[in-house]
Amino acid sequence: MNPAAAEVRSSIRTVLASWAGLVSDERRLQPPSREIPTLARFLGRHIQWLTRHPAAGDMAEEIRDLARNARNLAYPNSVRRVPVGSCPESDCAGELFAHIRAHDDLHPSEIICTLSPCHSWPVTCWARLARQIHIRKGERA
Ligand SMILES: [Zn+2]
């Protein structure tokens, strides 16, 4: 395993063990072993309780950062292609895909139609696009 991956893995174990420790302390439970899948399952079982905990925001932020670091390490400079739905432009039968790029990528993330390159939306327009897709879905139903 490369050193950066080992470091991320170690951070994941430390952070999950820390939150599992909080759960087991405050709920007076036996703490789980420090295996990452075991820690994740333990936290998953207590997620309802955790979401009501005052530190829930901190936990979400820490885990989001870990996930981002792990993803960036596993897929450096890659573009993730995520299906979004049908193109909302009139008379277009294309499908939309979000091309998600890393923050340091030279190109911005955007949503692009499979049929027309003119049907594209930068990140700043995604909320408006979501409304358009929602409205178009309603018209088709
Ligand atoms: Zn289109």
Side-chain angles (χ1 to χ4, degrees), residues 82-90 92 94-98 110-113 119-122 125-141:
V82 180
V84 172
S86 303
C87 181
E89 293 295 331
S90 54
C92 182
E95 291 295 315
L96 300 181
F97 283 87
E110 60 183 341
I111 292 177
I112 304 171
C113 175
H119 301 164
S120 68
W121 292 263
C125 298
W126 287 5
R128 185 158 38 88
L129 173 63
R131 282 193 296 276
Q132 281 179 274
I133 291 171
H134 185 74
I135 290 167
R136 179 96 187 256
K137 249 187 202 165
E139 288 169 355
R140 285 175 176 166

Side-chain angles (χ1 to χ4, degrees), residues 66-89:
L66 287 174
R68 182 187 301 136
N69 291 345
R71 196 180 309 110
N72 289 345
L73 191 68
Y75 308 105
N77 303 318
S78 71
V79 177
R80 285 194 305 138
R81 201 165 171 269
V82 180
V84 172
S86 303
C87 181
E89 293 295 331

